[in-house]
Amino acid sequence: MTFEEALKACNLVAILRGIKPEEAESVGEVLIEAGWRIIEVPLNSPEPLKSIERLVKRFGDTALIGAGTVLTPAQVADVAATGAKVIISPNANPAVIKASRAAGMVSLPGVATPTEAFAAIEAGAAGIKAFPAEAIPPLIIKAWKAVLPKEIPVLAVGGVTPENMVAYAQAGAAGFGIGSSLYKPGTDIASVAEKARKFIEAMRAE
């Protein structure tokens, strides 16, 4: 599954910050069942590479698995060794973007200004992450979309809820990264499943 296909199937990225390897498959299963197709494990989670490996092995044929909070080219190499396909960062480090591209992976760096966005695209980003979205209102996303290359998707990440997704989508956001409002350490599986369904319903209502 390509990044474009995954985003078209479901434009939501699950950010499982703090997840443990023993939880990864059960949480991944309810997300896949709900329709999610992109799952991120931030590298500041406990034993993140183990969780990513388990997700890739179990769901790699039906979803894109990746790592978040990737800050260095060395970390890109570590993630690539798991078979993951996506590198997501809170910042726009050209070295990380280029290393991701060289490894055949999708790079989604975080940006907060048009200058950062254009620099990330020039370095080879497949899409950009407007982060934190709660400080980047829909009107700003709309202004970005007027000047950025049309083929580069903008994902709103940080503070996204089922209630504000429609406004961001109408402004031109192509997708959303969902973190603590979907999963927090200690969240039971039933709650994750319910929240996953609610976000899918909100996405379909865009």
Side-chain angles (χ1 to χ4, degrees):
M1 177 177 286
T2 67
F3 172 60
E4 291 76 14
E5 290 170 342
L7 199 62
K8 185 176 181 179
C10 178
N11 65 352
L12 305 175
V13 179
I15 304 170
L16 305 182
R17 189 178 307 279
I19 197 165
K20 297 178 181 179
E22 58 268 26
E23 303 174 90
E25 290 183 62
S26 57
V27 172
E29 185 173 8
V30 298
L31 292 171
I32 298 297
E33 287 179 352
W36 296 61
R37 290 297 177 265
I38 307 175
I39 300 175
E40 165 196 342
V41 176
L43 291 187
N44 55 359
S45 303
E47 299 183 285
L49 297 177
K50 288 186 178 180
S51 293
I52 293 169
E53 286 175 351
R54 293 188 180 192
L55 289 167
V56 169
K57 184 176 181 180
R58 178 80 179 275
F59 307 110
D61 291 336
T62 55
L64 288 185
I65 310 301
T69 319
V70 181
L71 304 176
T72 68
Q75 290 177 330
V76 172
D78 290 340
V79 174
T82 69
K85 302 297 184 185
V86 185
I87 294 293
I88 303 175
S89 304
N91 60 338
N93 182 338
V96 169
I97 298 169
K98 291 175 182 177
S100 303
R101 286 294 300 270
M105 304 173 79
V106 171
S107 175
L108 300 174
V111 305
T113 68
T115 297
E116 293 176 343
F118 278 107
I121 294 166
E122 184 176 355
I128 57 174
K129 179 176 86 168
F131 178 77
E134 54 201 341
I136 306 171
L139 282 175
I140 291 180
I141 300 293
K142 184 177 181 180
W144 287 8
K145 290 297 295 181
V147 295
L148 292 175
K150 296 187 183 302
E151 69 275 13
I152 298 295
V154 176
L155 280 67
V157 182
V160 175
T161 67
E163 291 72 31
N164 64 19
M165 283 173 63
V166 171
Y168 278 103
Q170 290 175 343
F176 307 91
I178 313 298
S180 59
S181 53
L182 172 68
Y183 170 87
K184 294 179 183 177
T187 305
D188 63 85
I189 293 298
S191 295
V192 175
E194 181 181 359
K195 292 174 181 179
R197 287 192 296 269
K198 286 184 177 180
F199 274 105
I200 289 289
E201 290 169 1
M203 176 196 75
R204 290 172 177 164
E206 291 173 15

